[in-house]
Amino acid sequence: MKLIMDMNVQRSVVAQLSARPQVVEAGPFVLGWDPASPSKYINYATPVPGAAITPADVTALVAAFREIDRIPRLEYVVNIAPDLESQLLAAGFTVEARHEYLVCTADTFADVPDPDGVEVTEPDTDADYWGMITAQAAAFGDAFEVGPADIDRSRRTKERGGVVRMARSRPDGLIVGGGQASPPSEGVAEVAGIAVTEPFRRRGIAGAITAAITREAFARGVEGAWLEASGDDSWRVYERVGFIPTGKRLYIALDS
């Protein structure tokens, strides 16, 4: 069962990258990139499950990244390409992070209501999207500068069948957080970007956002939702909603 989930999660990553504005198929890799953003967290590659990979393939992938002026970088489920890491390290790549991903199914899902004074809802207007993304950026330590391309990217997620939700405080209407789930692929969807601004944390808002997104993903026929947790606090939030540790993912880049 775990191997099946590893494969499905990896295939969903391939599907997500294949939906980027520009896609490069470099041998056994799919490289998804957005000309509107230089961010290495948006422009990266992943291996196709089951494909044989050689050092020559890695060299060709690096060349493909250089051709589009982006940092060579990959994200992938470790078990679907267990020998790839050693090839990447030999080519000069450096491990950025190793994360465990968690999965929630209809059987494990535990709903979380909106906290008092907060409404979790779907963004509609450009102002909604701008407020949500600005809150996410602030919550992540202003890791990126918000621009029109970010609004377009979130709208595309929604238009392609993904789920986007924001948290708004009442009665002032301030947007204090948000998150999204990718369009379904292989029966699963990735929940990502769950964020709440500092003054509104530890009120149950992150759990309510996560639950609202996951609930809607299941309503649309998803069999499993997956995500990654970056720390103990987020682990507690996600486990409260019913997410269970399932597998490993690797983040690795060639920064020089």
Side-chain angles (χ1 to χ4, degrees):
M1 185 65 178
K2 180 182 180 301
L3 179 58
I4 292 173
M5 186 57 70
D6 281 344
M7 293 292 286
N8 287 345
V9 167
Q10 182 60 25
R11 287 179 180 131
S12 76
V13 175
V14 170
Q16 290 178 48
L17 289 180
S18 297
R20 290 285 195 270
Q22 299 288 334
V23 181
V24 177
E25 294 184 3
F29 301 102
V30 171
L31 193 176
W33 66 291
D34 188 341
S37 173
S39 172
K40 67 179 181 179
Y41 302 110
I42 293 172
N43 307 283
Y44 60 91
T46 203
V48 176
I53 303 173
T54 68
D57 293 324
V58 173
T59 299
L61 178 64
V62 171
F65 271 102
R66 301 303 190 201
E67 180 69 22
I68 62 173
D69 194 27
R70 295 293 188 272
I71 294 172
R73 184 172 180 273
L74 296 92
E75 299 180 9
Y76 66 96
V77 176
V78 175
N79 279 349
I80 63 94
D83 299 326
L84 177 56
E85 181 180 348
S86 62
Q87 295 185 41
L88 295 171
L89 293 174
F93 282 71
T94 301
V95 172
E96 292 181 336
R98 302 178 192 275
H99 288 169
E100 193 158 14
Y101 73 83
L102 297 81
V103 172
C104 180
T105 66
D107 290 336
T108 65
F109 177 65
D111 211 349
V112 176
D114 294 352
D116 291 342
V118 174
E119 177 189 22
V120 177
T121 187
E122 185 176 48
D124 181 29
T125 66
D126 280 354
D128 287 343
Y129 279 96
W130 185 270
M132 180 191 73
I133 298 167
T134 299
Q136 289 173 299
F140 289 127
D142 292 317
F144 60 94
E145 184 176 344
V146 180
D150 297 293
I151 295 176
D152 293 342
R153 196 173 298 113
S154 286
R155 283 194 177 277
R156 284 199 303 271
T157 295
K158 178 180 173 181
E159 290 165 358
R160 292 177 47 242
V163 181
V164 184
R165 292 292 184 269
M166 65 180 186
R168 192 195 302 271
S169 67
R170 295 297 187 189
D172 57 16
L174 179 66
I175 299 173
V176 300
Q180 56 272 333
S182 64
S185 176
E186 301 295 330
V188 300
E190 179 187 9
V191 176
I194 304 296
V196 176
T197 55
E198 180 65 38
F200 291 86
R201 292 176 184 169
R202 295 176 176 80
R203 300 187 189 182
I205 299 173
I209 295 171
T210 305
I213 292 169
T214 306
R215 183 193 321 122
E216 180 61 24
F218 287 139
R220 299 184 187 186
V222 166
E223 297 175 2
W226 69 276
L227 52 69
E228 293 180 0
S230 58
D232 291 342
D233 288 344
S234 57
W235 268 76
R236 284 190 287 270
V237 168
Y238 301 141
E239 288 183 323
R240 180 185 173 200
V241 179
F243 284 83
I244 298 171
T246 303
K248 306 285 187 180
R249 296 217 321 142
L250 179 68
Y251 294 75
I252 189 166
L254 181 63
D255 289 324
S256 59

